[in-house]
Amino acid sequence: MNENFTYKMKLTDEEKDILHGSKGETLAKVMKTLVLYGDAFGAEKFVPVTAMGHLVTSFGISVLKPVFSIMDELIDAGLKVDAKFTCDPRPIDYDNVKCNPLQKLIFNKILYGMQDSYEAQLQKLGLKSEKSFTCACYFDEVQNTPKKGDILSWAESSAVVYANSVLGARCNRNSGIIELFGSILGKVPEFDLLTDEGRKAKWVIEVKTSKIPEAQVLGSAIGMKVMEDVPYVKGLDKWIGTELNNDAKAYLKDFGAATASNGAVGLYHIDNLTPEAVEMGEDLILPDAKTYVIDDAELERVYKNYPVMWKDKNATPKLCFIGCPHLSYAQLGEWADRFEKELKKQGKSTVAIRTVMTTAPETLERFKKENKTAYDKLISFGIKLSSICPLMYMNNPLCGGETSNVITCSNKLRTYTTARYFTNDDITEIAVKGGF
């Protein structure tokens, strides 16, 4: 097959053979799809994938029937990801994120009625384990942490930007299924963020704030300004240091997710901190780079201009989501301390708003075992811990927006749903107080 298929990419003899069906019709289709993808973005060749995969499509949503058919075809052909892969979070968790009977009916029958069968497909294609469902697959506990220079086939925007920026791996912002095809073939087209030139900065961001900027707001401001371009950020190391310790990684996780969701950033450089910025410094900045200065007033302007999608802006919040992307092990402990201080300040013992904190399944297991004191505190405060995807949960029309009045400290969740954004300090106070 594909004998008359024309393309621009330069393929090896082995790749041409695969395209022409030497390893079966299904893998030939995978190859053809990736060749078309590469041609669309001007790729000249394929490069090998050198690390574990990660899939963005974790939800058995009924309307994705073409995806299920593709999965079946891959399985029937005996294809799988040899290096294994992790997957984005599950969309439901009835034990910790309660639903009324009508909401549950919509989840089970309309939205995610294919969840069980889809997860069975994932297992057959090479899912690492039944616990491997998180948007933060790079956590130590999950064990899908690429090394500097690794070539990836991922699609989850918050994971891609973290891997590129904080870990120094190389990955484009792929779409769902494309990332699976790349992991199955073991190769991806080389273009954009996989190239040295594509990783150069088109923007210089000068952070001139009087205190450490809220990660989610700073990332949002940068994402909305630079869109898909690469920014080189100066002045942030003053606040988060020059060492990629747990605090810096957690900050950059949330910062990066906001740049990727409020814009389309796939890579950023932090002066004196991220791997390539430490190695190459300002040589990463293109000669014609634009400049964006961020001070206290600019952050305040960005924050105040977030739209409130609630029908009644003064309504009492009914649900608080913390952890999109998923919280790290250290962040779980920090939130326990933050809520403990706020509860004491307000003279209360439990939160007044239903609050759900999300993290990776394996991170939650470690937290329960190694920091049981903090875990028990959160539970005693009335806070639920889950590995759900808040975004997918809120896709149920009866779970989001005016019927639930969700608040969050995630700029990603705010962007993709009707959740209302508040800073970490503000959301803690509101959750404990029970309103504004």
Side-chain angles (χ1 to χ4, degrees), residues 52-58 83-90 115 119 122-123 126-139 141-144 326 359-363 365 387:
M52 192 182 299
H54 180 78
L55 270 60
V56 70
T57 311
S58 59
K84 301 294 184 181
F85 61 86
T86 53
C87 205
D88 262 15
R90 292 181 171 100
Q115 189 66 30
E119 289 193 23
L122 293 174
Q123 292 279 356
L127 181 67
K128 181 173 175 286
S129 82
E130 62 179 12
K131 299 176 183 177
S132 300
F133 288 89
T134 176
C135 51
C137 58
Y138 44 80
F139 284 165
E141 300 84 11
V142 185
Q143 298 181 339
N144 186 3
H326 278 169
T359 187
E362 289 147 316
T363 303
E365 283 187 354
S387 295

Side-chain angles (χ1 to χ4, degrees), residues 263-277:
V265 175
L267 164 67
Y268 58 81
H269 302 293
I270 309 296
D271 197 33
N272 298 317
L273 181 59
T274 52
E276 286 161 280

Side-chain angles (χ1 to χ4, degrees), residues 239 301 313:
W239 300 112
R301 181 193 68 79
K313 296 182 180 181

Side-chain angles (χ1 to χ4, degrees), residues 330-343 357 367 371 373-375 377-378 381 383:
Q331 284 180 306
L332 290 170
E334 290 165 5
W335 276 103
D337 292 340
R338 185 178 284 116
F339 271 108
E340 183 177 32
K341 290 176 182 177
E342 187 62 35
L343 285 163
M357 290 170 48
F367 186 61
N371 198 351
T373 299
Y375 172 80
K377 282 181 182 179
L378 288 171
F381 298 158
I383 294 171

Side-chain angles (χ1 to χ4, degrees), residues 167-201:
L167 302 178
R170 297 195 169 197
C171 186
N172 281 316
R173 281 176 56 111
N174 301 300
S175 65
I177 301 304
I178 286 290
E179 97 275 58
L180 173 61
F181 284 1
S183 290
I184 285 177
L185 183 65
K187 298 182 179 185
V188 288
E190 185 183 42
F191 66 91
D192 199 17
L193 298 178
L194 270 59
T195 69
D196 291 342
E197 190 64 22
R199 298 176 76 83
K200 296 289 184 69

Side-chain angles (χ1 to χ4, degrees), residues 5-12 15-16 19 31-47 187-191:
F5 173 55
T6 59
Y7 53 88
K8 298 178 182 178
M9 286 184 67
K10 299 174 183 177
L11 304 186
T12 65
E15 290 163 355
K16 290 177 182 177
L19 181 63
M31 173 63 86
K32 181 177 181 180
T33 302
L34 291 174
V35 169
L36 287 168
Y37 181 52
D39 273 357
F41 288 95
E44 291 188 1
K45 63 179 181 178
F46 280 105
V47 289
K187 298 182 179 185
V188 288
E190 185 183 42
F191 66 91

Side-chain angles (χ1 to χ4, degrees), residues 395-417:
N395 274 348
N396 187 327
L398 299 180
C399 291
E402 62 189 59
T403 57
S404 285
N405 296 324
V406 177
I407 59 174
T408 186
C409 51
S410 163
N411 235 315
K412 179 174 183 177
L413 190 61
R414 174 197 70 81
T415 303
Y416 294 138
T417 71

